[in-house]
Amino acid sequence: MHELSLCQGILDTLETESRKQNFHRVRSVQLEIGALSGVDEEALRFGWEAVSPATLAAGSVLDIVRIPGSAWCFDCQDTVQVEQYYDPCPRCQGHKLQVNGGEQLKIKQLEVE
Ligand SMILES: [Zn+2]
């Protein structure tokens, strides 16, 4: 389950930031997860419950913001929404698409004390 290592990575980032910015506790973490990132939200929440106790993020709230996948359609000459890789364009059903959004997993915001 790679979500567990993702959670560990998030914690590592929080610990690094806490030293830089001098905070001791993380109350909430807002994460942006792209629809195309391959991250399972339930597994991520489960992983967070597993790794966050006994850390500076113990009891913190994980706030997950889903970002839809998007791609440039060469036929429509426009950006369209896609649910997954290799989906056809929802407008023209074409396949000349170049993914340009929704692949990210990043920490968007932190509430700390
Ligand atoms: Zn199209």
Side-chain angles (χ1 to χ4, degrees):
M1 174 171 126
H2 82 131
E3 279 80 3
L4 200 57
S5 56
L6 284 173
C7 288
Q8 195 60 59
I10 293 164
L11 265 187
D12 289 347
T13 305
L14 295 183
E15 270 160 23
T16 307
E17 286 303 308
S18 74
R19 282 193 291 273
K20 268 195 265 180
Q21 300 181 35
N22 201 29
F23 59 81
H24 309 286
R25 232 173 80 76
V26 175
R27 286 148 63 93
S28 71
V29 182
Q30 191 179 72
L31 288 180
E32 241 181 38
I33 300 181
L36 304 177
S37 65
V39 176
D40 183 80
E41 188 178 323
E42 282 307 305
L44 194 73
R45 286 189 185 282
F46 185 80
W48 190 247
E49 295 299 316
V51 302
S52 61
T55 70
L56 77 170
S60 60
V61 175
L62 202 57
D63 179 15
I64 294 176
V65 180
R66 307 277 307 179
I67 305 294
S70 65
W72 175 260
C73 176
F74 287 93
D75 288 327
C76 298
Q77 290 288 301
D78 205 356
T79 296
V80 294
Q81 276 198 10
V82 289
E83 289 302 318
Q84 34 189 329
Y85 287 106
Y86 310 116
D87 269 5
C89 170
R91 210 176 290 172
C92 70
Q93 305 304 315
H95 282 275
K96 285 184 226 157
L97 297 175
Q98 187 169 39
V99 168
N100 61 12
E103 295 176 294
Q104 72 270 49
L105 168 78
K106 66 177 182 194
I107 299 173
K108 183 77 179 164
Q109 215 174 308
L110 287 179
E111 195 185 324
V112 300
E113 60 185 40

